[in-house]
Amino acid sequence: MDHGLADYQKLQIRQYAPRSIRETAEGKYWRHFKAPIVSKQFGAVSHIDFCQQYPFDLAATASTRVILYNGRAPNVVSRTISRFKDVAYSGCFRSDGRLVVAGGQDGIVQVFDANSRSVLRQFKAHKRSTRVARFGADKLHVLSGSDDVTARWWDVSSGTQVLRLDGHRDYVRAAAGSPNSSDVWATGSYDHCVKLWDLRAGNSAILGLDHGAPVEDVTFFPTGALAVTAGGNYLCVWDVLGGGRLLKRLDNFQKTVTCVRLSQLAGPESAAAPRMLAGSLDGHVKIFELDSFRVTHASKYPAPVLSLGLSPDCRLLAVGLADGTLSVRKHARPKVVPGAPGLPQPKPKYRRRLTAGTYRYFIRGQSSRAAATDFRVLQQRQTRLEPYDKLLRKFRHRDALDASLSTRRPEVVASLLEELAARGGLAAALAGRDAKGLRPLLRHLVKYIGEPRYTKLLSNVGHRLLDTYAEVVGASPAVDQLWRALHDRVVEELGVMGQLAQLAGALEPLLAASLAAGAGI
């Protein structure tokens, strides 16, 4: 009997919960940084800095060199500054990209011309190695920190020391200028302290913060009201304007956090907001959003991370490793940096006028979307049936089951088996099969009977098959092999379930004790 198509309801494929958590827009954004451009240096890449002016060149400090890379082609070395007697440290651009400052193992702070690589200034007051050097926001001064436990403020124009900042009791390894004032600086030391200085008030610190571990890095938030310090295996976020109150401690790393950076434009277009990036000796780079300081993404590198940097337009993500590897990843969609000096302005697009003399005039509106208040007239479309639907409509249950097995989609097979059971046709679909017809069904059982979402249904099908074909077991070696494989799979799953039951029994008292302690019982 052939029923009309209008009387037949298509088989509804059962929808199961997703197997894993779907990737968020944040995760997709960070994964869209392409495969890294890797360059091997002569020593550990101890510092990375991006120029703030387009094309956002990259400065990487490694061994006795500061290597400058072209921001548009990060695999191209534009300059190499190697005028150091020993190891170089903390190569940084001035905000206009014309000068580069770097410290050294010999304690000398040097200022270079970024184009000619010539030495413009040398500051020689430090007695031990200088691990940090930064240009001031006024472009005319440099702050340096040294292992001689001092920080010094230099005048680039005259080449003289303006101020010496005493107060730390161990190596000074970090420094950052406040975005609110060119005279406010923060320095971090291995004495576990971060000190804030107002250079207009002399060499007395205006605020001290106890990080609790040797401080490896410090930076201000874009607003200047907060600061973050890195050291030990954690980060600390401080309310600077609120008297140095600790707002948050982030224990998301297994080893020492070596570097931390903030980017104002990072993240997907739907949620572009400041992000915090931190790298650690455990080889991880983690990204935090700044509302609840939750980790939104993490990347694993093959060696300890010593330095990292993100270009102002979020196009390049550079990471320096302890084994001398410089990894640079490029994003396909850079952000537009408002007011960035030297940024080329996009040309306005020419738009052709829409007149009756063009073809587009007659097809206008076809791609427009209906408004919420519009009345929609739905076009009646003929229902397209799958092969198993056509056979099921003709009550050919065995052939419909074979057609569903040929799709190799377990959710289709499960939906069809449930439909046959509801119609009372499951027994007819399973019976009357030869060895050739049994093999696809047994293969399906072996493959999917261990999945929790299909276990109950396929177990019932397996019992029916055993009841139906018990008398002919041994007639076909190929079918017997599949029966043994099904037996082994069931035994394996039972063993796993037993182990899980034992584990649940061992965890139950521990969880109960933890809940009781949390409730104060």
Side-chain angles (χ1 to χ4, degrees), residues 50-334:
F50 278 96
C51 178
Q52 298 302 306
Q53 183 171 350
Y54 184 82
F56 311 120
D57 290 342
L58 165 66
T61 307
S63 185
T64 59
R65 302 178 179 183
V66 177
I67 305 100
L68 308 183
Y69 291 88
N70 191 320
R72 287 171 293 185
N75 58 333
V76 176
V77 176
S78 57
R79 301 284 189 278
T80 299
I81 301 174
S82 56
R83 298 191 176 186
F84 298 93
K85 296 180 181 179
D86 209 325
V87 179
Y89 297 112
S90 188
C92 288
F93 284 105
R94 197 169 70 173
S95 58
D96 58 5
R98 296 182 178 180
L99 302 182
V100 174
V101 64
Q105 184 72 28
D106 55 5
I108 300 176
V109 180
Q110 301 186 79
V111 178
F112 303 91
D113 186 293
N115 292 321
S116 65
R117 299 171 294 172
S118 59
V119 180
L120 303 181
R121 289 288 185 272
Q122 287 187 335
F123 307 125
K124 300 182 179 181
H126 284 296
K127 305 301 180 183
R128 302 182 71 176
S129 61
T130 305
R131 294 297 188 101
V132 57
R134 302 284 187 273
F135 273 106
D138 59 1
K139 305 179 185 178
L140 300 177
H141 293 84
V142 167
L143 184 84
S144 60
S146 171
D147 286 356
D148 63 6
V149 307
T150 66
R152 300 174 190 258
W153 184 242
W154 309 89
D155 187 336
V156 177
S157 302
S158 62
T160 58
Q161 176 181 306
V162 179
L163 192 62
R164 169 175 165 167
L165 306 176
D166 296 306
H168 287 294
R169 302 185 306 275
D170 208 333
Y171 304 153
V172 179
R173 292 295 177 86
S178 171
N180 289 341
S181 173
S182 60
D183 295 311
V184 176
W185 284 78
T187 57
S189 168
Y190 274 16
D191 61 4
H192 302 189
C193 291
V194 174
K195 294 186 178 295
L196 267 70
W197 313 85
D198 189 338
L199 302 180
R200 296 165 294 187
N203 62 351
S204 297
I206 60 175
L207 184 64
L209 309 173
D210 184 8
H211 181 78
V215 179
E216 300 287 349
D217 203 358
V218 59
T219 188
F220 282 92
F221 279 54
T223 60
L226 305 179
V228 57
T229 56
N233 62 342
Y234 55 88
L235 300 166
C236 289
V237 181
W238 307 88
D239 183 359
V240 177
L241 298 184
R245 180 169 58 95
L246 178 62
L247 297 179
K248 192 75 172 179
R249 172 170 163 161
L250 307 174
D251 300 284
N252 298 92
F253 297 90
Q254 300 298 320
K255 294 184 179 180
T256 301
V257 184
T258 55
C259 49
V260 60
R261 294 289 182 271
L262 282 105
S263 174
Q264 298 192 45
L265 301 176
E269 296 293 341
S270 59
R275 296 290 192 276
M276 181 168 65
L277 295 82
S280 168
L281 294 181
D282 60 12
H284 284 92
V285 171
K286 297 186 178 182
I287 293 91
F288 300 80
E289 52 87 18
L290 301 186
D291 292 331
S292 60
F293 298 101
R294 178 176 55 88
V295 176
T296 60
H297 186 71
S299 300
K300 183 69 171 70
Y301 287 83
V305 176
L306 296 184
S307 56
L308 65 86
L310 186 64
S311 62
D313 62 350
C314 301
R315 179 173 175 265
L316 300 179
L317 174 61
V319 177
L321 307 181
D323 63 355
T325 301
L326 174 63
S327 170
V328 181
R329 297 177 181 268
K330 184 168 64 174
H331 201 281
R333 295 182 178 179

Side-chain angles (χ1 to χ4, degrees), residues 11 13 388 392 397 400-405 411-421:
L11 179 67
I13 306 302
Y388 50 81
L392 194 61
H397 296 160
L401 180 56
D402 291 338
S404 68
L405 289 170
E411 66 275 10
V412 173
V413 177
S415 300
L416 187 65
L417 289 172
E418 291 176 350
E419 179 67 19
L420 291 176

Side-chain angles (χ1 to χ4, degrees), residues 424-437:
L426 183 59
L430 298 179
R433 292 176 174 268
D434 56 8
K436 183 179 180 181

Side-chain angles (χ1 to χ4, degrees), residues 302-454:
V305 176
L306 296 184
S307 56
L308 65 86
L310 186 64
S311 62
D313 62 350
C314 301
R315 179 173 175 265
L316 300 179
L317 174 61
V319 177
L321 307 181
D323 63 355
T325 301
L326 174 63
S327 170
V328 181
R329 297 177 181 268
K330 184 168 64 174
H331 201 281
R333 295 182 178 179
K335 302 296 181 65
V336 177
V337 184
L343 188 66
Q345 299 298 324
K347 296 181 180 180
K349 295 183 178 180
Y350 171 73
R351 293 186 178 181
R352 183 181 300 176
R353 292 184 60 185
L354 192 62
T355 64
T358 61
Y359 173 72
R360 292 178 58 197
Y361 178 83
F362 298 96
I363 62 172
R364 66 190 187 281
Q366 292 186 7
S367 60
S368 301
R369 295 184 178 180
T373 57
D374 291 342
F375 180 78
R376 300 186 180 186
V377 180
L378 299 179
Q379 181 182 1
Q380 295 294 332
R381 296 183 179 180
Q382 185 177 4
T383 304
R384 180 177 177 273
L385 297 181
E386 298 292 339
Y388 50 81
D389 272 313
K390 296 178 181 178
L391 296 169
L392 194 61
R393 184 164 62 109
K394 298 178 181 179
F395 298 98
R396 296 170 56 182
H397 296 160
R398 187 185 302 109
D399 296 335
L401 180 56
D402 291 338
S404 68
L405 289 170
S406 65
T407 64
R408 297 186 178 180
R409 295 173 56 192
E411 66 275 10
V412 173
V413 177
S415 300
L416 187 65
L417 289 172
E418 291 176 350
E419 179 67 19
L420 291 176
R423 293 188 177 196
L426 183 59
L430 298 179
R433 292 176 174 268
D434 56 8
K436 183 179 180 181
L438 268 178
R439 285 198 296 267
L441 189 54
L442 288 175
R443 290 194 196 100
H444 184 84
L445 292 179
V446 171
K447 187 173 183 180
Y448 294 106
I449 198 171
E451 294 197 18
R453 60 181 65 182
Y454 308 124

Side-chain angles (χ1 to χ4, degrees), residues 445-480:
L445 292 179
V446 171
K447 187 173 183 180
Y448 294 106
I449 198 171
E451 294 197 18
R453 60 181 65 182
Y454 308 124
T455 298
K456 184 176 180 180
L457 175 64
L458 296 184
S459 297
N460 293 331
V461 173
H463 283 299
R464 284 179 175 267
L465 288 175
L466 283 173
D467 294 339
T468 305
Y469 297 99
E471 297 179 357
V472 294
V473 172
S476 172
V479 174
D480 292 344

